[in-house]
Amino acid sequence: MKRLYFARFFFLSNDELLEILSETKDPTRVQPHMKKCFEGISKLDFDIEKIIKGMISSESENVKFTNTIDPLLAKGCVEKWLLQVCGMILFLFQSVYISVCLYFGLFIYLSFFFCR
Protein backbone atom coordinates (compact mmCIF):
# COMPACT_ATOMS: atom_id res chain seq x y z
CA MET A 1 0.00 0.00 0.00
CA LYS A 2 2.85 2.41 0.77
CA ARG A 3 4.11 2.07 -2.80
CA LEU A 4 0.72 3.06 -4.17
CA TYR A 5 0.64 6.18 -1.98
CA PHE A 6 4.20 7.21 -2.88
CA ALA A 7 5.08 5.76 -6.29
CA ARG A 8 8.82 6.46 -5.95
CA PHE A 9 8.95 3.59 -3.45
CA PHE A 10 8.75 1.27 -6.48
CA PHE A 11 12.42 2.17 -7.15
CA LEU A 12 13.40 0.55 -3.84
CA SER A 13 13.78 -3.11 -3.05
CA ASN A 14 11.55 -4.70 -0.40
CA ASP A 15 14.44 -4.68 2.10
CA GLU A 16 15.18 -0.99 1.51
CA LEU A 17 11.52 -0.06 1.86
CA LEU A 18 11.25 -2.09 5.04
CA GLU A 19 14.31 -0.31 6.44
CA ILE A 20 12.75 3.10 5.74
CA LEU A 21 9.37 2.17 7.18
CA SER A 22 10.86 0.58 10.32
CA GLU A 23 12.74 3.76 11.24
CA THR A 24 9.90 6.28 10.94
CA LYS A 25 10.84 8.19 14.08
CA ASP A 26 14.17 9.22 12.57
CA PRO A 27 13.68 10.93 9.18
CA THR A 28 17.44 11.01 8.53
CA ARG A 29 17.34 7.23 8.02
CA VAL A 30 15.94 7.90 4.53
CA GLN A 31 19.22 9.55 3.46
CA PRO A 32 20.92 6.42 2.04
CA HIS A 33 17.92 5.79 -0.24
CA MET A 34 17.41 9.30 -1.62
CA LYS A 35 19.48 8.61 -4.76
CA LYS A 36 17.16 5.77 -5.73
CA CYS A 37 13.96 7.74 -5.05
CA PHE A 38 14.99 11.06 -6.62
CA GLU A 39 17.37 11.37 -9.53
CA GLY A 40 20.03 14.00 -8.90
CA ILE A 41 19.39 14.30 -5.15
CA SER A 42 21.91 12.59 -2.93
CA LYS A 43 20.49 13.71 0.42
CA LEU A 44 18.24 16.18 2.19
CA ASP A 45 19.49 19.08 4.27
CA PHE A 46 18.23 18.61 7.86
CA ASP A 47 18.75 21.08 10.68
CA ILE A 48 19.29 20.16 14.35
CA GLU A 49 15.55 19.65 14.98
CA LYS A 50 15.33 17.32 11.93
CA ILE A 51 13.43 19.85 9.83
CA ILE A 52 14.17 19.71 6.10
CA LYS A 53 15.64 22.97 4.79
CA GLY A 54 16.74 21.89 1.33
CA MET A 55 18.30 19.23 -0.84
CA ILE A 56 21.87 18.40 -1.79
CA SER A 57 22.82 17.03 -5.20
CA SER A 58 25.40 14.38 -6.01
CA GLU A 59 27.76 17.22 -6.97
CA SER A 60 27.29 18.80 -3.49
CA GLU A 61 25.12 21.59 -4.85
CA ASN A 62 22.82 22.82 -2.08
CA VAL A 63 19.32 24.03 -3.00
CA LYS A 64 17.34 25.68 -0.22
CA PHE A 65 13.59 25.17 -0.06
CA THR A 66 11.37 28.25 0.13
CA ASN A 67 9.45 26.60 2.98
CA THR A 68 10.75 24.10 5.47
CA ILE A 69 9.25 20.62 5.83
CA ASP A 70 8.77 19.10 9.27
CA PRO A 71 8.74 15.28 8.96
CA LEU A 72 7.67 14.91 12.57
CA LEU A 73 4.26 16.41 11.73
CA ALA A 74 3.58 13.38 9.52
CA LYS A 75 3.50 11.24 12.69
CA GLY A 76 5.58 8.41 11.27
CA CYS A 77 4.17 8.41 7.73
CA VAL A 78 7.34 8.72 5.68
CA GLU A 79 5.40 8.84 2.44
CA LYS A 80 3.54 11.99 3.54
CA TRP A 81 6.60 14.14 4.06
CA LEU A 82 8.30 12.67 0.99
CA LEU A 83 5.28 13.84 -1.01
CA GLN A 84 5.87 17.29 0.48
CA VAL A 85 9.47 17.09 -0.73
CA CYS A 86 8.18 16.22 -4.22
CA GLY A 87 5.81 19.18 -4.08
CA MET A 88 8.60 21.52 -3.02
CA ILE A 89 10.86 20.29 -5.83
CA LEU A 90 8.06 20.88 -8.32
CA PHE A 91 7.42 24.36 -6.91
CA LEU A 92 11.12 25.28 -7.15
CA PHE A 93 11.32 23.98 -10.71
CA GLN A 94 8.24 25.97 -11.73
CA SER A 95 9.52 29.18 -10.14
CA VAL A 96 12.92 28.87 -11.85
CA TYR A 97 11.24 28.07 -15.16
CA ILE A 98 8.97 31.11 -14.91
CA SER A 99 11.91 33.34 -13.97
CA VAL A 100 13.93 32.14 -16.96
CA CYS A 101 10.97 32.56 -19.32
CA LEU A 102 10.36 36.07 -18.05
CA TYR A 103 14.03 36.99 -18.28
CA PHE A 104 14.56 35.67 -21.80
CA GLY A 105 11.16 36.80 -22.98
CA LEU A 106 11.95 40.32 -21.80
CA PHE A 107 15.47 40.08 -23.26
CA ILE A 108 14.19 38.98 -26.65
CA TYR A 109 11.53 41.68 -26.58
CA LEU A 110 14.03 44.44 -25.65
CA SER A 111 16.65 43.29 -28.16
CA PHE A 112 14.04 43.22 -30.89
CA PHE A 113 12.68 46.63 -29.91
CA PHE A 114 16.00 48.47 -29.43
CA CYS A 115 18.12 46.81 -32.15
CA ARG A 116 16.16 48.10 -35.12
Side-chain angles (χ1 to χ4, degrees):
M1 285 304 283
K2 298 286 186 176
R3 284 190 168 124
L4 294 177
Y5 191 79
F6 185 68
R8 292 178 181 265
F9 280 158
F10 282 108
F11 296 124
L12 301 173
S13 69
N14 290 336
D15 293 336
E16 292 168 330
L17 182 59
L18 186 61
E19 181 182 344
I20 290 173
L21 297 177
S22 66
E23 298 289 340
T24 57
K25 293 190 188 323
D26 186 9
T28 59
R29 299 285 297 186
V30 177
Q31 296 282 48
H33 309 290
M34 287 303 296
K35 285 183 183 179
K36 285 190 175 182
C37 288
F38 298 96
E39 186 177 350
I41 299 175
S42 74
K43 57 186 176 178
L44 296 172
D45 186 15
F46 288 92
D47 66 4
I48 296 170
E49 288 117 18
K50 296 184 180 175
I51 294 176
I52 302 170
K53 302 183 304 181
M55 57 188 172
I56 301 171
S57 73
S58 302
E59 294 83 24
S60 299
E61 182 181 35
N62 195 344
V63 178
K64 298 289 182 193
F65 290 161
T66 53
N67 297 324
T68 58
I69 298 171
D70 190 356
L72 301 178
L73 294 177
K75 297 183 174 111
C77 295
V78 178
E79 65 276 9
K80 285 186 179 178
W81 64 264
L82 283 174
L83 278 173
Q84 289 180 312
V85 170
C86 282
M88 185 59 64
I89 292 169
L90 181 62
F91 175 77
L92 289 172
F93 177 74
Q94 288 172 338
S95 63
V96 168
Y97 180 76
I98 289 170
S99 298
V100 168
C101 287
L102 289 174
Y103 174 78
F104 283 110
L106 182 61
F107 178 75
I108 291 169
Y109 172 75
L110 291 176
S111 64
F112 176 76
F113 185 71
F114 290 114
C115 295
R116 285 187 156 193

